Amino acid sequence: AGPSKPQTLVLNKLFHARQASLDRIADAFDYSSLKMLEIFMCPKLKPSTSFMHASLKSFIVAGSKVLDDSALVSVAGRCPNLEVSIATRCHKLRSINIGRKRKGHLITDHSVSMLAKNNPYLHTIGLAGCHITDRTIWQLAMSCGKRIERLSLNNCLFVTDQSIPIVLSHNLMPILSVLEIRFIEKLTKFDPIVTFRRRQNARGINVLIETCEVLLQRLKSCEKRMDQRISQRIFCDISEWANNLADEDLSHEELLRTRRMGARKNPIIS
């Protein structure tokens, strides 16, 4: 019998495993039929080319300290049929998650912008901790914004007001329902974010915006200011309506003034 041909390989929380161990696993089997490869919280492991074949449809790496832009390009060239993964030459991706807590500088606009450009059907995107900038957010909005439902940008420290608030104010992600923006302290303009959430809620889309303590305070302050402005506009509209001088009847203010004058002329004697 020939060598075993696994279709699924999952490595989970091997915090101390080294690359040499993964290389031995790669040499032990024929992976030409592999459909799913998941390496979760194995910080020192980077998948070798032995796992990369056209059969691969799901490739998930989370918590890696060694995966970088060049590795993404390599995966893309060998696995054109990926649907859930990280890649730049693939065109069928629906979901990606390359979030990390450390060494975010290994994943930048270089690979993620190309990924977004080539995959218009993406709907779930995890980029937490990556060193992307506003450039990537705009590429996502232009390439696949109409389909994006979930977007995680936690700890993307180089994202600023020049992307998220503007993208949302122009409704470039019309079905977005989950936005994670914890620890993006360069994000200060929340009016468009609050307006977007209220607009989505009115359309029946319940939007979850995940923030840290600092951004939550900014969000609540913005909501309070907006509510005050709305109340003030409502009051002004009512006042204008009540005091419309073009109306055939006496204005509200005029009516009160007339009554006061009448009361002075005809005081009530008890």
Side-chain angles (χ1 to χ4, degrees):
S4 176
K5 293 185 177 182
Q7 295 188 6
T8 301
L9 178 62
V10 177
L11 304 177
N12 186 42
K13 295 183 179 180
L14 302 178
F15 298 107
H16 302 292
R18 297 186 177 276
Q19 188 63 37
S21 300
L22 182 58
D23 292 341
R24 285 196 292 270
I25 294 175
D27 294 336
F29 302 99
D30 178 357
Y31 293 97
S32 60
S33 298
L34 191 66
K35 294 182 179 180
M36 175 183 175
L37 173 61
E38 179 175 337
I39 302 178
F40 180 75
M41 300 305 294
C42 303
K44 300 177 182 179
L45 302 184
K46 179 165 62 174
S48 69
T49 56
S50 298
F51 300 111
M52 306 305 158
H53 298 276
S55 61
L56 198 62
K57 291 186 176 182
S58 177
F59 173 43
I60 301 172
V61 177
S64 172
K65 295 181 181 179
V66 292
L67 194 70
D68 55 16
D69 286 340
S70 62
L72 301 188
V73 174
S74 175
V75 171
R78 294 173 175 270
C79 310
N81 294 313
L82 285 172
E83 295 178 1
V84 180
S85 180
I86 45 180
T88 55
R89 296 181 186 175
C90 305
H91 299 273
K92 301 179 181 180
L93 293 181
R94 303 294 191 274
S95 173
I96 61 168
N97 187 352
I98 48 179
R100 53 193 47 224
K101 290 186 176 180
R102 298 179 181 177
K103 296 192 176 182
H105 65 278
L106 296 178
I107 304 294
T108 67
D109 290 333
H110 174 70
S111 59
V112 183
S113 292
M114 185 64 68
L115 179 152
K117 183 178 180 180
N118 291 336
N119 290 277
Y121 299 103
L122 282 169
H123 58 74
T124 300
I125 302 165
L127 301 173
C130 297
H131 281 207
I132 60 166
T133 69
D134 295 321
R135 173 190 168 191
T136 288
I137 306 303
W138 278 107
Q139 188 64 67
L140 286 169
M142 295 297 101
S143 300
C144 47
K146 292 182 179 179
R147 293 182 172 86
I148 294 178
E149 299 175 14
R150 302 174 62 91
L151 179 60
S152 175
L153 302 172
N154 296 330
N155 278 300
C156 291
L157 305 180
F158 299 102
V159 173
T160 74
D161 288 332
Q162 297 305 309
S163 58
I164 288 295
I166 301 174
V167 164
L168 296 184
S169 68
H170 287 82
N171 203 32
L172 298 180
M173 296 182 181
I175 63 172
L176 183 67
S177 60
V178 177
L179 176 62
E180 299 178 6
I181 52 174
R182 291 193 292 269
F183 308 114
I184 308 180
E185 297 200 4
K186 292 183 179 180
L187 201 57
T188 62
K189 296 180 180 179
F190 277 83
D191 280 34
I193 297 175
V194 173
T195 300
F196 172 79
R197 182 167 69 177
R198 293 181 176 183
R199 184 173 65 240
Q200 293 295 79
N201 289 343
R203 295 174 55 211
I205 300 176
N206 186 25
V207 176
L208 172 64
I209 299 178
E210 294 191 4
T211 63
C212 58
E213 185 176 349
V214 171
L215 297 192
L216 180 60
Q217 183 60 42
R218 293 177 188 174
L219 181 66
K220 288 184 175 180
S221 297
C222 176
E223 288 180 324
K224 184 177 180 180
R225 289 194 305 270
M226 290 182 67
D227 288 339
Q228 290 173 341
R229 290 198 296 266
I230 292 172
S231 297
Q232 186 176 12
R233 285 199 298 268
I234 292 174
F235 176 80
C236 289
D237 288 344
I238 294 174
S239 179
E240 183 178 355
W241 170 79
N243 298 298
N244 187 354
L245 297 179
D247 196 288
E248 293 181 356
D249 298 327
L250 290 174
S251 72
H252 178 66
E253 291 179 352
E254 200 171 74
L255 180 60
L256 291 177
R257 188 164 53 251
T258 301
R259 289 183 175 178
R260 285 197 296 269
M261 291 176 63
R264 286 196 295 269
K265 290 180 181 180
N266 301 289
I268 298 175
I269 300 176
S270 56

